[in-house]
Amino acid sequence: MRRTETRGPVVNAAYYERRAAIGHYFDRTAADAWVRLTGDAPVGRIRARVRAGRAAMRELLAGWLPADLGGARVLDAGCGTGLLTADLARRGAAVVGVDLSPRLLEIAASRLPDGLTPGMVRLVGGDMLDPELGVFDHAVAMDSLIHYRADDAVGALANLAARVRRTLLITFAPRTPLLAVMHAAGRLFPRGDRAPAIEPVSPRALERAIAAEPRLAGWRIARTQRVSAPFYVSQAMELVRE
């Protein structure tokens, strides 16, 4: 499968504005760096640590899904260069990988492993909240919501949940002193070189916001776990439909 498609989205103006900045950054400013980071080519010490942290998070999220995904339909929301997409397809899932960056989707398509059943992986350019993507048994949004304010992230989560039957896995940036230092260091870079700012959130505040969202009334938080590595701090959360 080497074909990608383009589709359109859903939500409020603040979400769209932020989404546009994220798409521009990952498709133009950071595409080549992201390709190196998610590949196996040698990288510098800092990027190597970020790569290791992301690998640990990807392994954690994948481990929260059933070992046998045969017959399951899974959404990889913000799939980037497709590492998780490929992992899930190897386990038998029919995976839709969606991302804002056409450039990263091209890389994802080129990296798909041989031997996959035709149609097992579909790569789509556009918004992860697009209802035309269909309904899924599971959805994973790894580091896809970390650039949005907490209220917008919860709103996006509610939109995703409306199209998921069983489990929804997300990550968020926990509010920690280490993350505050990393953000301050990031502001030293020229504006054109900066990634869209990460929006840290208190885990308890996020849990309260999820509990207060009427559209998530049928969901419960099953578990949460943090991955902390030098230059990579992210927290996973599993929501299960009751």
Side-chain angles (χ1 to χ4, degrees), residues 87-171:
D87 288 346
L88 299 177
R90 287 190 194 98
R91 288 161 58 181
V95 188
V96 174
V98 59
D99 201 272
L100 294 172
S101 168
R103 167 73 173 132
L104 296 186
L105 287 173
E106 289 174 5
I107 300 303
S110 71
R111 289 179 176 177
L112 287 176
D114 295 331
L116 293 180
T117 303
M120 288 291 284
V121 174
R122 176 175 160 228
L123 299 175
V124 182
D127 194 287
M128 62 186 174
L129 305 185
D130 185 354
E132 291 190 32
L133 295 172
V135 176
F136 300 88
D137 298 292
H138 310 280
V140 185
M142 177 177 158
D143 295 351
S144 304
L145 298 173
I146 61 174
H147 299 289
Y148 295 96
R149 295 188 318 177
D151 54 346
D152 290 329
V154 172
L157 184 58
N159 274 274
L160 276 176
R163 295 182 288 110
V164 178
R165 300 185 186 97
R166 296 173 59 186
T167 59
L168 179 52
L169 310 181
I170 65 166
T171 65

Side-chain angles (χ1 to χ4, degrees), residues 23-236:
H24 183 277
Y25 175 77
F26 283 104
D27 197 48
R28 302 184 186 182
T29 306
D32 290 341
W34 203 248
V35 169
R36 290 194 300 273
L37 179 67
T38 58
D40 54 11
V43 292
R45 184 168 57 92
I46 291 176
R47 283 183 177 163
R49 290 176 173 178
V50 174
R51 178 188 282 174
R54 286 183 54 81
M57 177 57 79
R58 193 166 57 250
E59 182 178 355
L60 173 64
L61 293 172
W64 283 358
L65 293 171
D68 181 1
L69 287 168
R73 192 164 189 261
V74 182
L75 176 67
D76 186 359
C79 66
T81 58
L83 293 178
L84 182 59
T85 298
D87 288 346
L88 299 177
R90 287 190 194 98
R91 288 161 58 181
V95 188
V96 174
V98 59
D99 201 272
L100 294 172
S101 168
R103 167 73 173 132
L104 296 186
L105 287 173
E106 289 174 5
I107 300 303
S110 71
R111 289 179 176 177
L112 287 176
D114 295 331
L116 293 180
T117 303
M120 288 291 284
V121 174
R122 176 175 160 228
L123 299 175
V124 182
D127 194 287
M128 62 186 174
L129 305 185
D130 185 354
E132 291 190 32
L133 295 172
V135 176
F136 300 88
D137 298 292
H138 310 280
V140 185
M142 177 177 158
D143 295 351
S144 304
L145 298 173
I146 61 174
H147 299 289
Y148 295 96
R149 295 188 318 177
D151 54 346
D152 290 329
V154 172
L157 184 58
N159 274 274
L160 276 176
R163 295 182 288 110
V164 178
R165 300 185 186 97
R166 296 173 59 186
T167 59
L168 179 52
L169 310 181
I170 65 166
T171 65
F172 61 94
R175 194 183 301 280
T176 68
L178 174 60
L179 207 52
V181 170
M182 291 166 59
H183 292 170
R187 286 194 290 271
L188 299 177
F189 289 100
R191 183 173 297 276
D193 295 334
R194 296 180 198 168
I198 291 173
E199 297 285 349
V201 60
S202 157
R204 288 186 179 180
L206 182 60
E207 290 174 11
R208 287 195 298 268
I210 289 172
E213 171 54 63
R215 292 173 294 172
L216 293 172
W219 292 80
R220 65 177 175 85
I221 298 171
R223 48 189 160 178
T224 183
Q225 184 172 328
R226 186 172 302 177
V227 171
S228 294
F231 303 100
Y232 180 85
V233 181
S234 189
Q235 186 151 335

